[in-house]
Amino acid sequence: MDLKGRDFLTLKDFTPEEITYLLDLSADLKAKKKQGVPVDQFHGKNVALIFEKTSTRTRCAFEVAAQDLGMGSTYLDPTGSQIGKKESIADTARVLSRMYDGIEYRGFGQDIVEELAQYSDVPVWNGLTNEYHPTQMLADLLTIREHFGHLKGIKLVYMGDARYNMGNSLMIACSKMGMHFVACTTKEYFPNAELVAQCEEYAKETGATITLTEDAMAGTKDADVVYTDVWVSMGEPDEVWEQRIKELSPYKVTKAIMENAGEKAIFLHCLPAFHDLKTKIGKEMGERFNITDMEVTDEVFESEQSKVFDEAENRMHTIKAVMAATLGWK
Ligand code: CP
Ligand code: NVA
């Protein structure tokens, strides 16, 4: 499989075989990391990491993965560059392509990362936009495959705001890989109809199914994977919190939801998560809205069923695979 020179902007652009290849490469790179086998094939190469929004996992995964592959990296933080303020995306792409071998971009609209890719001569990797989070998908698929041994036929239920990057991307990933995707939330938070129709087309090829439901119990019945994300994403205004809490509370992942899911069900979350608003993180939010948790209870988050830290670790192995494959892994 040759993915050299390809951009990685959304899984829509990748076939099930290419996604499987990236997962296999991730598993291989993970095994090599655990065994201490070096993979530094890319000495002399450098990557630029643009972050217009904050990050822990994605930034660290790109930096560690680049270093393991033998490459240098430059982190451009949300305030420390000319991008989007004094310099256009097109000019930025043409400048960075002259110095770097690959560019990661985390920011706002998908159109921005697409423009970056259009004007760049080197691969561009989407580290999260409002619409998609494709590197997260590879980590999620790898974690599910490690746990269940396969992807086809797995029922994944996404609870919460399914119109945004995580809901959209999970629906694409599941439909590409022959999984059963359920968006479980109120109608207002269902993914947009055009994307659902596009995913229905992928599903026809793979045997996947897509279900949108407002019924939390029917939706999560016998699920293999229960997945959620924050109710308010980066870049959204502070004013939406109150309404989100009111509207999405019926879709909080609780012990009752996990008991309703399959016997061997696991819980996943891309993180960061609001699961314990009694402690310092989120305490202010907890007091403001008189709540102790948000999208998932602390009980579920800390339970045996929760695989969120395996998932977080897999960000690094999968991002390493994306960079290696698109830069010409041998
Ligand atoms: N899941 C994820 O993208 O985490 P960060 O925002 O910390 O990168
Ligand atoms: N939906 C979240 C995902 C964070 C990884 C956000 O965009 O903030």
Side-chain angles (χ1 to χ4, degrees), residues 149-256:
H150 63 99
L151 293 175
K152 228 177 175 49
I154 291 289
K155 176 177 175 178
L156 183 147
V157 184
Y158 179 79
M159 320 250 320
D161 184 355
R163 309 162 304 178
Y164 217 69
N165 44 27
M166 289 306 303
N168 290 345
S169 300
L170 285 164
M171 182 167 67
I172 297 164
C174 288
S175 58
K176 288 264 178 180
M177 302 314 284
M179 297 162 67
H180 303 299
F181 175 80
V182 182
C184 191
T185 187
T186 63
K187 274 199 181 64
E188 292 71 32
Y189 295 89
F190 281 173
N192 86 56
E194 203 181 313
L195 186 62
V196 174
Q198 200 172 359
C199 290
E200 294 279 13
E201 290 303 311
Y202 306 142
K204 274 187 204 154
E205 302 289 317
T206 64
T209 59
I210 295 166
T211 308
L212 311 180
T213 179
E214 293 194 287
D215 186 330
M217 281 297 160
T220 53
K221 186 88 198 129
D222 298 327
D224 297 302
V225 182
V226 180
Y227 201 118
T228 191
D229 179 20
V230 287
W231 287 343
V232 177
S233 286
M234 289 183 277
E236 293 198 279
D238 199 42
E239 296 78 64
V240 302
W241 277 108
E242 194 165 357
Q243 192 185 0
R244 291 283 163 83
I245 291 167
K246 204 162 90 209
E247 290 173 343
L248 294 176
S249 284
Y251 303 96
K252 180 194 303 252
V253 182
T254 60
K255 191 163 178 240

Side-chain angles (χ1 to χ4, degrees), residues 241-309:
W241 277 108
E242 194 165 357
Q243 192 185 0
R244 291 283 163 83
I245 291 167
K246 204 162 90 209
E247 290 173 343
L248 294 176
S249 284
Y251 303 96
K252 180 194 303 252
V253 182
T254 60
K255 191 163 178 240
I257 292 286
M258 293 309 292
E259 281 171 358
N260 184 53
E263 216 174 293
K264 299 203 169 101
I266 60 170
F267 169 73
L268 295 181
H269 189 312
C270 53
L271 306 181
F274 278 124
H275 61 92
D276 182 2
L277 305 185
K278 300 180 288 302
T279 59
K280 206 166 156 223
I281 301 300
K283 193 163 181 277
E284 204 181 302
M285 186 90 69
E287 282 165 6
R288 180 169 153 204
F289 298 111
N290 193 26
I291 48 176
T292 55
D293 49 39
M294 201 96 70
E295 68 272 13
V296 56
T297 63
D298 199 43
E299 189 179 21
V300 170
F301 188 89
E302 298 293 352
S303 72
E304 282 290 306
Q305 286 172 293
S306 172
K307 302 297 172 199
V308 295
F309 298 112

